[in-house]
Each structure stands twice: as structure tokens, then as C-alpha cells.
Amino acid sequence: MAMTPRERVLAALRKEKLDRPPVAVFTQSATIGQMEALGVFWPDAHSNPKAMAKLGAGQADVLGFEAVRAPFCLTAEAEFLGCTVDPGKQDRTPMIKKHPFKFDPMMGEYDEPNIMDPEKFLKGGRPAAVLEGVRLLKEQKGKDYVVIAGNTGPFTLAGHLVSTENLVFGIMMAPEEVLKWLKAVTPVCKAYTQALSDAGADVIQMSEPSSSTDLLSPDMFDEYSGSFVKDSLACVKDAFSILHICGNTTPILSNMIATGVSGLSIEEKVDPKEGVKKVNKKAALIGNIGVVNPLLQGTPEDCYRHGRIVKEAGFDVVAPGCGLSALISNDNLKALVKAVMDD
């Protein structure tokens, strides 16, 4: 008997034997094609729980992927903690425009990290809207599909509050100030992670793009990112924990596994076969179809071919390697789905 989408994704995350790997979007999943098909649009769906749940189900309802997922950006936490955020447009996610705290390694000037109490954080702003959106998604789709909820990792969130560039400079010039901020934001990240699980998410997918090897050298990862991911994500109860980091994560795959998370979401900059070999079933491996090439710029034939490569390499879940551009066509995404579902 064939597995249902929910059964298949859960089995994949447990690294169990499968009839075939599932195909799902674990990172940002919305596109204009889905918005037009469903009649819900950004930026409304970033803060309206009903619209969020409807669009979050779009990857399954419109395109045939095997999971559902919300929200659609990495600014909800930062905005409620004081960042100025451009809400974006139908084809563009929200963006951080202004950091609320001073953190200047060149001048030696640092604000104290007076961060909102985690209990208060969960009750207001867009984080509360996301929690309600996840509850609705679970109620409406949770019987048939795994519900994935996304949030922001401690290093990335701290960078949103004080500027990522300054935070990275601070590692070399004032590491104690960097650690002070990471210790301050981690309780919020941890509380939000658990609240998403309590709201009904089967999977918490934490994004830590600022921990990429483009910004942090591998020997910095454990102290400034990995230890805080372990404290805020890996310990979640009643949900799988998936860590996503952008860029070429080949040098830090073992470090990512050492955080204790259930799975890793990685980009196409990691060779598929090498990634499978290095991870070696120590965590579920999710990815790593390029979101620019082939998904945005390629043809359906390109997307089909890349899907077959990643499937045959042995990924536990075949998925886009990072968040989708809203401009990716339905045809390209459906070709990826077909590539995985074909015998």
C-alpha cells in the first residue's frame, strides 16, 4: 500500500525505509502562481492568519508537494523586537530596514540587550499571528500533510537587531559583546520554537543564513551559532527540528549534525553525493535543488533533471535548497514534483 504524503515525510525524517523520497518545500514556499490560484497575496498573508494558512497550504493544493508550511519570511521576530521592516510586495518578502540597537565595534559602543520577555513575545505582533496561522494549518491540513513552521535562528536574529555586519566584526573585536547578545535572544528563539510545536507544527525549520560559511568561518560556528541552535531548536518537544543554513555548508555539516537537530536543509552549493556521504544518515538530509538555477531561471526539463539527480543521490527529502523566489513558475515546480514521483 502506498504511503500518504504525511506518512512519507514523517518516515523520511525518521530515516526509515520509503517507497520513494518525499518532495516538499521546507523553506519559504509561496509563489505568485500559488497566490493567484488561491486568491490570497503578500503582504496580507504575512500577518493575516487565515490568509497565511491558505497560502501555506498552496505548495500541496496547487503544486502537488507533500507538506504544508508557514510563514514566508524571517522578519516577524525582528519586527516585534523593534526592527523597522518594509512589508514587501506581492513579489517580494519583507526586509529589515533599520536596526533598533547600537552595536559598533569600531567605536566600542554597545547597547545593552534589553530583549522582550519571551512570554510577552509570544502574545503579540506577527509572532502571535504566525502561531494562529500554524494552528489553522494544522486544523485544516494536518491529517493529510506534515505541518512545517519556520523561524529565525539566534545568530541571524541578533544580527537583525544590531546589524549582521557589526555582529561579525564584533567576533574579532569584542567577542564578549557578541555572546551577550546571543545569550539574550536565545530564550526568545527557544520559546517561539516550542510555541510553534505546541500550535501544531510537526516540524520546526529554523533558518540561520547569517551562519553561512560566507560570514562565519567553520572554526567559529560551534561557539557563535551551533551551541545556540542546540539550546533553542534541537531541544524542541513533540516536533522534528530542521536546521537550514545557506551557502556551501560542506565544511560545517558535521558541526550542524552535532547540534542534535533531526535534520539538515542545505543548498545546491553542496555536491549532492558528497552531502549524502558526509551526513551518512546521522540526520535527515533535505534539499538541495537550486532556487535560482534551475528553479527560477531554468526550464521544466532542467528542473526535472536536477530533481532526478538529488533523488538518486539519496536525499531523505527532495526539496528546494533555500526559500523560493515568488517569481518561480508553476511549471518548473510541478516538474520538480514529477521528477521525484516518477519511478
Side-chain angles (χ1 to χ4, degrees), residues 278-316:
K278 286 181 74 76
V279 173
N280 195 28
K281 293 295 182 180
K282 295 172 186 172
L285 191 57
I286 297 146
N288 66 339
I289 309 295
V291 293
V292 175
N293 186 15
L295 288 176
L296 178 62
Q297 297 178 345
T299 64
E301 292 74 22
D302 295 329
C303 297
Y304 186 94
R305 180 169 54 84
H306 280 253
R308 299 297 290 186
I309 289 169
V310 172
K311 177 182 178 180
E312 289 162 12
F315 272 63
D316 295 290

Side-chain angles (χ1 to χ4, degrees), residues 113-334:
N114 296 316
I115 302 297
M116 185 184 300
D117 178 81
E119 289 190 11
K120 181 179 179 182
F121 173 85
L122 299 176
K123 294 177 180 176
R126 281 202 286 139
V130 171
L131 290 171
E132 179 59 20
V134 169
R135 288 187 193 99
L136 291 172
L137 205 48
K138 182 68 171 183
E139 177 184 305
Q140 296 165 8
K141 295 293 180 178
K143 181 179 178 182
D144 300 315
Y145 296 98
V146 162
V147 176
I148 304 166
N151 66 353
T152 309
F155 192 81
T156 300
L157 181 57
H160 285 165
L161 298 178
V162 305
S163 148
T164 301
E165 182 180 8
N166 285 345
L167 196 69
V168 172
F169 279 135
I171 291 175
M172 294 170 278
M173 302 177 72
E176 70 285 352
E177 294 293 336
V178 175
L179 291 171
K180 185 188 293 186
W181 272 92
L182 293 170
K183 290 173 183 176
V185 301
T186 293
V188 168
C189 296
K190 181 176 182 177
Y192 191 36
T193 293
Q194 190 57 54
L196 289 165
S197 172
D198 295 343
D202 302 290
V203 175
I204 313 300
Q205 180 269 301
M206 178 178 279
S207 293
E208 270 284 39
S210 298
S211 294
S212 164
T213 54
D214 294 336
L215 293 174
L216 285 186
S217 64
D219 62 352
M220 294 176 178
F221 179 84
D222 292 346
E223 182 174 6
Y224 295 100
S225 181
S227 62
F228 297 98
V229 169
K230 183 175 183 178
D231 288 346
S232 60
L233 174 64
C235 60
V236 67
K237 298 179 178 65
D238 302 319
F240 290 93
S241 53
I242 307 299
L243 175 60
H244 173 80
I245 298 180
C246 301
N248 183 7
T249 51
T250 305
I252 59 170
L253 287 173
S254 60
N255 306 73
M256 293 169 70
I257 293 166
T259 63
V261 295
S262 311
L264 312 182
S265 167
I266 62 173
E267 283 193 349
E268 74 282 359
K269 290 181 181 179
V270 179
D271 177 80
K273 290 183 179 179
E274 184 177 2
V276 170
K277 182 178 178 181
K278 286 181 74 76
V279 173
N280 195 28
K281 293 295 182 180
K282 295 172 186 172
L285 191 57
I286 297 146
N288 66 339
I289 309 295
V291 293
V292 175
N293 186 15
L295 288 176
L296 178 62
Q297 297 178 345
T299 64
E301 292 74 22
D302 295 329
C303 297
Y304 186 94
R305 180 169 54 84
H306 280 253
R308 299 297 290 186
I309 289 169
V310 172
K311 177 182 178 180
E312 289 162 12
F315 272 63
D316 295 290
V317 181
V318 179
C322 198
L324 297 182
S325 162
L327 300 175
I328 294 173
S329 72
N330 284 1
D331 287 346
N332 279 7
L333 291 166
K334 287 179 179 179

Side-chain angles (χ1 to χ4, degrees), residues 62-103:
V62 178
L63 300 171
F65 285 98
E66 296 181 280
V68 297
R69 200 260 195 205
F72 315 106
C73 75
L74 297 180
T75 63
E77 301 100 312
E79 183 177 48
F80 196 44
L81 292 174
C83 288
T84 302
V85 172
D86 176 341
K89 298 180 180 179
Q90 182 178 326
D91 62 351
R92 179 172 59 78
T93 54
M95 297 174 59
I96 304 290
K97 301 300 288 185
K98 187 175 180 181
H99 315 288
F101 297 97
K102 179 178 286 188
F103 190 99

